Amino acid sequence: MTRAHALLLESVHATAAEVLGGHDVEATRLPTALAEDELIAALQQLPGDGPVVVGLRSKTHVTPRVFEQAPRLSAIGCFCIGTDQVALDVARRRGVAVFNAPFSSTRSVAELVIAEVVMLSRQIFGRSKAAHEGRWDKSAVGAHEVRGKTLGIVGYGHIGSQVSILAEALGMQVLFFDIDKRLPLGNANTVDTLPELLQASDFVSLHVPDTDLTRGMMGPSEIEAMKPGSFLLNLSRGKVVDIAALGKALRSGHLAGAAVDVYPREPASTKEPFESELRGLDNVILTPHIGGSTQEAQANIGREVASAVGRYLKQGTTSGSVTLPPLDLALPRAARTGKASRIVNVHHNVPGVLSAINQVVADSGVNIVGQALATVDDIGLLFIDVPLADDDAKADGLRQGISALETSVRTRLLAL
């Protein structure tokens, strides 16, 4: 296989380059995000004719045009939780594997939520600002313990459930609402509707993905339904909360405070100004999308995503991919001596495709030692393991034959 090259953007942690290097992938790291034209140019300028990988976080967007203009793009590593910055449907149709890190920053986000719950309850930021300005605001007015208070969690997935455990350790009561059935941890209790949770909670923390169902889910009516004097925390996705409605509720005193880490519109770099109508409010904690920004989380994310990308490029393994079917076939015994190859074929999932491929295999005269197939939606993924004698000419001929089929999307030959 021709050596792969990776372009790692937005200061992806150095562990990613180290792991990719161990998979014989040459990585280039850049500190900034790239706009569409810049990304296309950078991918086109990568050397060689082998597979190309792009690694990104939240600012760089891989659009349909990027896929069209960068045909060597074979894998995308989202070194973060979300994948909404990638045109996933296009990636799937083009046979591009997309990987993310849904678990590695879980603890970092959960710890920040709990820290902000305490800071809001004690009105720490307003008092800290006063002290910086030379005012001695020593008072217990408006300051409360969190013990005995109710935390309502919207979205009880990996992060929400971790927040639940930490909150209970502080003596808080925990309610949660999720559209999927979730097993409560500890003494947490589920509620049937969002309004029920909003009306009963002293603190509401949002942990939902960016989908058609969640965008704007905390609008004027939902914020109005919250318990008077309660707090709202959003460390999930920026479009989940109506910022204008939140600002109105904070200024009127209906809500006692808020903590916001994500926004509908965020600066593309540190050089751009941050604009929000929540600026200047002493009872609001504003953070620049840093929920998962700890050294521990970023190092773990770098290892997790880079390992998945490296295994895909070297062995075809798609475990953890959000675009291709999950497939992991044990390496043939001959691979231990470098005498085996694997054909990885992404194809349209239509009737007769496997028969056509197997006919090409039969006509090639190549012996097959392993085969595995998986499908998802309109895409299929096939592994064909081939032992080698003195050269891989027959295996490459088989790859070319399979690649020539109308149903084939992307076909690679890997030296195991």
Side-chain angles (χ1 to χ4, degrees), residues 255-316:
L255 295 186
V260 182
D261 185 54
V262 290
Y263 309 87
R265 180 179 174 83
E266 299 180 1
S269 70
T270 56
K271 297 179 180 179
E272 291 187 16
F274 167 64
E275 300 292 342
S276 175
E277 58 187 272
L278 301 179
R279 285 174 50 188
L281 297 177
D282 289 348
N283 58 343
V284 179
I285 302 174
L286 299 177
T287 50
H289 203 151
I290 56 170
S293 296
T294 63
Q295 288 299 309
E296 294 84 354
Q298 293 307 307
N300 289 336
I301 289 171
R303 283 188 287 267
E304 179 183 349
V305 177
S307 295
V309 170
R311 288 194 302 270
Y312 173 70
L313 292 175
K314 200 167 187 177
Q315 301 175 11

Side-chain angles (χ1 to χ4, degrees), residues 123-409:
Q123 297 187 354
I124 293 298
F125 278 76
R127 287 170 165 80
S128 175
K129 180 181 178 182
H132 277 286
E133 294 173 347
R135 294 181 287 112
W136 193 247
D137 188 12
K138 179 177 171 59
S139 170
V141 176
H144 299 278
E145 293 181 353
V146 299
R147 180 177 53 176
K149 303 302 187 297
T150 298
L151 172 63
I153 299 173
V154 182
Y156 202 68
H158 299 292
I159 296 176
S161 57
Q162 280 285 307
V163 171
S164 173
I165 293 171
L166 295 177
E168 277 202 49
L170 292 178
M172 301 186 75
Q173 305 297 315
V174 177
L175 301 176
F176 72 88
F177 169 73
D178 199 304
I179 60 173
D180 295 323
K181 291 293 182 181
R182 303 283 188 177
L183 179 67
L185 300 179
N187 295 312
N189 291 297
T190 183
V191 296
D192 295 327
T193 67
L194 178 60
E196 182 181 353
L197 179 139
L198 298 177
Q199 294 164 11
S201 301
D202 299 298
F203 299 84
V204 173
S205 189
L206 308 176
H207 301 284
V208 297
D210 179 58
T211 68
D212 291 339
L213 290 175
T214 62
R215 292 183 198 114
M217 68 178 294
M218 290 299 295
S221 59
E222 288 78 16
I223 292 174
E224 181 63 28
M226 290 179 63
K227 188 176 179 180
S230 60
F231 301 85
L232 178 64
L233 297 92
N234 183 23
L235 286 82
S236 59
R237 288 292 179 264
K239 295 180 181 179
V240 169
V241 176
D242 184 323
I243 296 297
L246 175 59
K248 182 179 179 180
L250 290 164
R251 291 183 175 89
S252 71
H254 175 61
L255 295 186
V260 182
D261 185 54
V262 290
Y263 309 87
R265 180 179 174 83
E266 299 180 1
S269 70
T270 56
K271 297 179 180 179
E272 291 187 16
F274 167 64
E275 300 292 342
S276 175
E277 58 187 272
L278 301 179
R279 285 174 50 188
L281 297 177
D282 289 348
N283 58 343
V284 179
I285 302 174
L286 299 177
T287 50
H289 203 151
I290 56 170
S293 296
T294 63
Q295 288 299 309
E296 294 84 354
Q298 293 307 307
N300 289 336
I301 289 171
R303 283 188 287 267
E304 179 183 349
V305 177
S307 295
V309 170
R311 288 194 302 270
Y312 173 70
L313 292 175
K314 200 167 187 177
Q315 301 175 11
T317 301
T318 53
S319 300
S321 173
V322 299
T323 50
L324 298 185
L327 193 58
D328 187 0
L329 179 64
L331 297 180
R333 184 175 301 176
R336 301 173 189 172
T337 58
K339 295 292 186 178
S341 290
R342 172 170 291 172
I343 294 173
V344 178
N345 170 251
V346 181
H347 55 263
H348 298 295
N349 183 23
V350 296
V353 62
L354 191 56
S355 296
I357 291 175
N358 284 333
Q359 186 60 57
V360 175
V361 173
D363 293 341
S364 71
V366 176
N367 185 38
I368 302 301
V369 297
Q371 191 176 57
L373 171 71
T375 62
V376 60
D377 298 327
D378 55 350
I379 288 295
L381 176 64
L382 177 68
F383 289 171
I384 300 176
D385 288 347
V386 180
L388 298 184
D390 297 326
D391 58 66
D392 61 354
K394 284 188 176 182
D396 191 53
L398 178 56
R399 176 197 65 80
Q400 293 180 40
I402 294 174
S403 180
L405 294 173
E406 291 184 359
T407 53
S408 290
V409 175

Side-chain angles (χ1 to χ4, degrees), residues 110-122:
E111 285 186 2
L112 182 57
V113 170
I114 295 301
E116 291 182 336
V117 165
V118 175
M119 295 296 101
L120 287 169
S121 190
R122 294 293 300 272

